[in-house]
DNA sequence: ATCATGATTGACTAATCACTCTACAAAAGT
DNA sequence: ACTTTTGTAGAGTGATTAGTCAATCATGAT
């Protein structure tokens, strides 16, 4: 075993998604991670800290994946499409993480996060929205609203793809066309 | 006290949204509802049954509110808009219920529901989507996908409105224009 | 070699919680 | 009036759980 802390987080992720927060005792997490009970509390002083840490870790992972895309020379639409597709692909390739995030943000644990953690650091995308509005490419509305709508859309599509068992071809189709859908919505 | 069962559900709703499922002991629910511990278990044999019952009750309430809208003579777009606005208004007027539903459907309790409970009985809207596709008013795509997208959109807008403190005027604006947004997305 | 620091263990505990049980009260049926 | 059913209460219980602690073990620095 290389890293016990990682093993604990991995086990916790799986169990939380399967059984919910209240359905998974710390003892089970420790057992599944192959560590002793006390070891878990060595790394995370409370169960709540474990849950929040897991969220932060996943968000970090997502941010890392998103950061790869950086092609400023492309058109605004192309740039947004790149970001959109990257995020969507992440959601499809990481269903468990995706479900955990969904569960976490709908739970009261969200309030336990420091406000700056919730804040979208990745304001690159907000910037692009603003550019789009200024350049009269995107409908003039609050960028927070646009952001919320795009996020919801992303969630919806991920959910649809994860739930319905699609052939790779169909899946590819939906991924590609779904950006056009949301674009039709926000574009002038 | 008129109906203890209702009082229990009301207290449970509030506490679950505030503290989550695992953060609210049945004893506290009973206390807040002003009934004895045993009374709770007279009405709901387990905590899980209480949670699921609460979900079903809220869904029933939502359905009742939705059922009022029935104007088949209007255009397809108008009909959809009516349904959309009704749902959105419900989400805004019933934030606690709204948050509970969100929490519930992102939790493993969802799987405890009988499949027919999950199924959208209100397939009126699915019917309208099909009509729209047949009449070449709506883009040709799986109606389940359309449905998911419209629902996500609805969630997003509700969330946005609930979170940001808006003047009644602005709120009204967003409610009205947000349907046009989603319409732009699904319409040909 | 010795020491120090941190990782790891698992038995243990104090508290909590879901749920039970017995008793009683209030209707409701006969 | 009497019996049955249903509602209500709240103390009690056994199981579970988050978190502790004292004791080892591993590692590397001096």
């Amino acid at each position: 075993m290389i890293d016990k802390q990682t093993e604990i987080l991995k086990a916790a992720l799986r169990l939380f998604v399967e059984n919910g927060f209240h359905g998974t005792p710390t003892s089970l997490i420790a057992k599944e991670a192959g560590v002793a009970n006390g070891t878990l509390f060595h790394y995370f002083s409370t169960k709540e800290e474990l849950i929040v840490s897991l969220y932060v870790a996943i968000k970090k992972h997502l941010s890392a994946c998103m950061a790869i895309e950086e092609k400023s020379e492309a058109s605004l639409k192309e740039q947004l499409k790149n970001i959109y597709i990257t995020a969507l692909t992440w959601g499809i390739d990481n269903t468990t993480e995706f479900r955990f995030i969904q569960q976490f943000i709908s739970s009261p644990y969200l309030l336990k996060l420091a406000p700056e953690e919730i804040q979208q650091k990745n304001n690159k995308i907000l910037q692009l929205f603003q550019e789009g509005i200024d350049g009269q490419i995107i409908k003039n509305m609050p960028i927070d609203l646009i952001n919320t709508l795009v996020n919801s859309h992303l969630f919806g599509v991920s959910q649809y793809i994860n739930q319905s068992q699609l052939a790779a071809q169909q899946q590819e189709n939906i991924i590609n066309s779904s950006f056009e859908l949301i674009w039709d919505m926000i574009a002038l």
Side-chain angles (χ1 to χ4, degrees), chain A:
Chain A
M1 185 162 318
I2 342 166
D3 186 356
K4 307 222 171 197
Q5 189 168 4
T6 310
E7 292 298 319
I8 292 168
L9 287 172
K10 266 168 62 185
L13 171 63
R14 185 165 46 81
L15 290 168
F16 283 147
V17 169
E18 248 168 60
N19 314 115
F21 297 129
H22 110 271
T24 55
T26 51
S27 54
L28 185 61
I29 297 171
K31 193 178 162 191
E32 296 277 303
V35 303
N37 223 313
T39 307
L40 189 150
F41 287 96
H42 175 70
Y43 288 106
F44 309 96
S45 60
T46 65
K47 185 182 183 179
E48 186 176 306
E49 198 197 300
L50 167 62
I51 293 171
V52 174
S53 297
L54 182 53
Y55 176 76
V56 172
I58 290 174
K59 267 301 188 86
K60 198 174 150 194
H61 174 231
L62 173 58
S63 291
C65 291
M66 298 296 297
I68 298 168
E69 296 296 323
E70 288 290 346
K71 303 175 189 169
S72 302
E73 78 281 354
S75 75
L76 185 82
K77 184 178 172 183
E78 282 300 321
Q79 284 183 68
L80 281 173
K81 184 169 183 175
N82 275 335
I83 295 173
Y84 177 89
I85 301 267
T86 308
L88 183 52
T89 306
W90 185 88
I92 294 164
D93 292 343
N94 303 272
T95 41
T96 316
E97 283 83 353
F98 182 80
R99 296 215 57 201
F100 177 84
I101 288 183
Q102 203 172 353
Q103 199 172 311
F104 183 89
I105 64 178
S106 328
S107 83
Y109 286 109
L110 183 63
L111 304 172
K112 301 297 169 59
L113 272 180
E116 67 265 20
E117 297 274 18
I118 305 175
Q119 205 70 22
Q120 193 112 10
K121 288 171 203 164
N122 186 11
N123 51 12
K124 171 83 186 295
I125 192 165
L126 297 179
Q127 232 173 283
L128 288 176
F129 290 148
Q130 191 59 58
E131 272 180 44
I133 292 169
D134 294 342
Q136 292 187 321
I137 300 169
I138 291 177
K139 287 169 187 158
N140 187 13
M141 49 184 163
I143 54 170
D144 277 349
L145 177 57
I146 304 180
N147 193 41
T148 306
L149 293 179
V150 173
N151 277 336
S152 311
H153 186 259
L154 224 33
F155 263 85
V157 176
S158 300
Q159 213 159 11
Y160 178 78
I161 291 179
N162 284 337
Q163 271 168 17
S164 51
Q165 306 294 36
L166 300 173
Q169 181 56 42
Q170 287 175 297
Q171 188 168 312
E172 199 61 32
N173 273 347
I174 290 178
I175 293 176
N176 281 316
S177 56
S178 72
F179 176 77
E180 296 301 326
L181 289 175
I182 188 75
W183 181 256
D184 280 352
M185 181 167 106
I186 65 174
L188 269 169

